[in-house]
Amino acid sequence: MNLLDSLRALRLLAIVRGTDPGAALRTVLTLAEEGIEAIEVSLTTPDALTVIEQARAALGPEALVGAGTVRTAADGARAVAAGASYLVTPALVDGLRSTGSPEIPVLMGALTPTEIEGALARGACAVKLFPGSLGGPRYLRALRDPFPEVPFVPVGGVDVAAAREYLDQGATAVGVGSPLVGDAADGGDLDELRARAAEFRRAIAGEAR
């Protein structure tokens, strides 16, 4: 799977993090039904590996279901064994190429120019700019000058308005957690999740609200 090409096409990565594994699985499946195809399940979610395994089984082998909050090579190996099709880290993580599937794509977290270089040196296919809320779209615009070729995916505090602004400033895609998922992964209303998903899809497409 070419994660980078998928992110360029889809422009939105949903981040599912919750307290209820059953609700988290329902959230993943609902997002997929609403046309949000790239979905990351945070390993901080209870029984996250089972959620990933069941989501991949339900959505098929080509599903873009990855593991997030991967902090160690061991985390990565367990996620790959559960069926994660890509890994997302919050920071620089060594050893992810030894997860048992060296070709698995990694979206690696970084914030500063030095960390960005570190992520690229570790084989990241794209850089998760985290926490994006610290610098906002203006910070991304400043980074585009020294790093014009680097695919950036801002994550952290990305609401509907910020999503569109990041994309306008050159982000490859945006990663969105609670502004999209809300409390759905804790057992919240799935109809409200569907409404938020539609709103984000319109924003990503550049349609007026």
Side-chain angles (χ1 to χ4, degrees):
M1 183 198 68
N2 190 312
L3 178 63
L4 182 54
D5 285 349
S6 297
L7 290 173
R8 284 173 172 152
L10 300 172
R11 315 216 70 189
L12 175 61
L13 171 65
I15 302 166
V16 174
R17 176 184 290 106
T19 57
D20 180 332
L25 177 60
R26 291 190 292 273
T27 298
V28 172
L29 299 181
T30 300
L31 288 168
E33 288 172 3
E34 294 302 312
I36 296 178
E37 299 177 43
I39 305 168
E40 162 196 337
V41 178
S42 171
L43 294 185
T44 59
T45 300
D47 212 8
L49 297 179
T50 300
V51 174
I52 292 169
E53 184 177 13
Q54 292 177 343
R56 288 295 301 276
L59 298 174
E62 301 303 315
L64 296 171
V65 178
T69 324
V70 174
R71 296 176 57 194
T72 67
D75 285 344
R78 287 190 290 267
V80 170
S85 55
Y86 57 91
L87 305 176
V88 185
T89 77
L92 302 181
V93 178
D94 291 319
L96 293 182
R97 293 302 173 189
S98 61
T99 58
S101 182
E103 71 279 3
I104 193 162
V106 177
L107 177 60
M108 192 165 289
L111 180 64
T112 67
T114 299
E115 291 173 350
I116 291 165
E117 291 288 8
L120 299 175
R122 288 166 173 80
C125 72
V127 172
K128 169 184 169 179
L129 190 63
F130 178 78
S133 56
L134 208 59
R138 292 179 61 187
Y139 182 58
L140 173 63
R141 182 174 61 191
L143 289 173
R144 299 300 301 164
D145 289 335
F147 299 105
E149 80 291 352
V150 174
F152 286 106
V153 181
V155 176
V158 181
D159 60 13
V160 169
R164 186 64 256 166
E165 192 172 356
Y166 275 121
L167 295 174
D168 290 343
Q169 294 298 339
T172 297
V174 290
V176 185
S178 57
L180 168 60
V181 173
D183 64 353
D186 301 319
D189 193 312
L190 293 180
D191 286 336
E192 293 180 4
L193 173 64
R194 291 186 178 94
R196 291 190 297 271
E199 187 176 20
F200 268 95
R201 289 189 66 195
R202 287 193 296 271
I204 295 300
E207 299 174 8
R209 294 177 64 182

